[in-house]
Amino acid sequence: EAGVTQSPTHLIKTRGQQVTLRCSPISGHTSVYWYQQALGLGLQFLLWYDEGEERNRGNFPPRFSGRQFPNYSSELNVNALELEDSALYLCASAILEGTQYFGPGTRLLVL
Amino acid sequence: AQSVAQPEDQVNVAEGNPLTVKCTYSVSGNPYLFWYVQYPNRGLQFLLKYITGDNLVKGSYGFEAEFNKSQTSFHLKKPSALVSDSALYFCAVRDRLTGGGNKLTFGTGTQLKVEL
């Protein structure tokens, strides 16, 4: 069974630019979660999507947004990038409230 | 609000010796508790979880964890450590009562180093 996949694996952007990260959940999983793992800040919850709807949001500014598609894949968009957005962005999928299984992450560097 | 504490930034253990990685939690209701492991430049890999029932939970790769409600702890253990167990370990909690919006709250992580 294929796990959670994320693309791209690495990304370099400059301040002020916009970025889109992608996530494909495990087959049969309807929920997608996004987390940010920044140096010194640990793992922080960003967003939760289920059945195409945003269900919960962490303490991040509105320039962090996303969506979930009918096939349950998801995108995370970050506008007006700042240096402190440099981090590993992890996507996880689950069946409803079940165990969250994580993808390999996208490492974003903002210069 | 839910929170997790991992009091040790690093744990060093000799191969073949037992290992313990500590975790304490705080939730308003009853907890769902998880352990994940992260190898360098990789995502998080699920090890085990406590939902309800037996306080001793067995997981992948010989790891187990003991839920202690009175001490609000969920320590990760393994009877005999391997060098390949060297990695970053995260404890996480979700509040069963409120759901916490389904989000996981993670500890700061404990780096486990197993030496020959």
Side-chain angles (χ1 to χ4, degrees):
Chain A
E1 178 185 293
V4 177
T5 59
Q6 292 186 243
S7 62
T9 55
H10 294 82
L11 210 47
I12 300 175
K13 293 285 187 178
T14 56
R15 285 177 57 191
Q17 285 189 309
Q18 179 265 343
V19 68
T20 298
L21 312 181
R22 295 176 175 83
C23 172
S24 290
I26 293 170
S27 177
H29 287 193
T30 61
S31 279
V32 169
Y33 302 80
W34 288 95
Y35 292 84
Q36 182 197 64
Q37 187 177 22
L39 209 59
L41 294 177
L43 278 152
Q44 305 286 327
F45 167 75
L46 262 167
L47 289 158
W48 169 35
Y49 292 94
D50 183 66
E51 296 286 359
E53 300 284 333
E54 182 180 303
R55 302 296 185 182
N56 195 19
R57 182 182 183 85
N59 292 328
F60 283 84
R63 58 191 186 82
F64 286 83
S65 65
R67 55 180 173 168
Q68 186 179 32
F69 298 97
N71 66 354
Y72 303 112
S73 67
S74 176
E75 284 182 351
L76 174 68
N77 298 295
V78 187
N79 294 322
L81 282 166
E82 300 179 2
L83 297 178
E84 52 264 35
D85 296 334
S86 295
L88 181 66
Y89 289 84
L90 292 166
C91 169
S93 74
I95 300 173
L96 295 175
E97 298 183 359
T99 300
Q100 295 177 26
Y101 293 92
F102 286 79
T106 294
R107 189 164 295 281
L108 172 64
L109 178 61
V110 183
L111 301 174
Chain B
Q2 53 195 42
S3 65
V4 175
Q6 292 182 243
E8 302 154 317
D9 290 335
Q10 181 159 320
V11 170
N12 296 319
V13 64
E15 188 175 53
N17 283 0
L19 70 87
T20 299
V21 182
K22 295 179 181 177
C23 171
T24 58
Y25 66 89
S26 174
V27 295
S28 53
N30 289 315
Y32 291 124
L33 292 157
F34 303 82
W35 277 101
Y36 288 86
V37 60
Q38 186 176 34
Y39 295 96
N41 300 313
R42 302 286 295 276
L44 270 64
Q45 187 173 331
F46 170 71
L47 277 179
L48 52 79
K49 66 182 177 184
Y50 172 80
I51 302 297
T52 188
D54 194 349
N55 289 345
L56 184 64
V57 179
K58 294 190 183 296
S60 307
Y61 313 116
F63 284 94
E64 57 190 29
E66 186 164 12
F67 171 64
N68 188 317
K69 187 172 184 177
S70 63
Q71 296 185 5
T72 61
S73 67
F74 189 56
H75 301 329
L76 182 69
K77 300 182 180 185
K78 187 174 182 182
S80 179
L82 299 172
V83 171
S84 56
D85 293 330
S86 299
L88 186 58
Y89 290 80
F90 289 96
C91 181
V93 69
R94 196 174 88 217
D95 189 321
R96 188 191 307 179
L97 180 64
T98 66
N102 258 22
K103 70 176 185 181
L104 291 175
T105 297
F106 287 88
T108 50
T110 298
Q111 185 70 47
L112 174 65
K113 188 173 182 182
V114 182
E115 298 166 313
L116 289 170

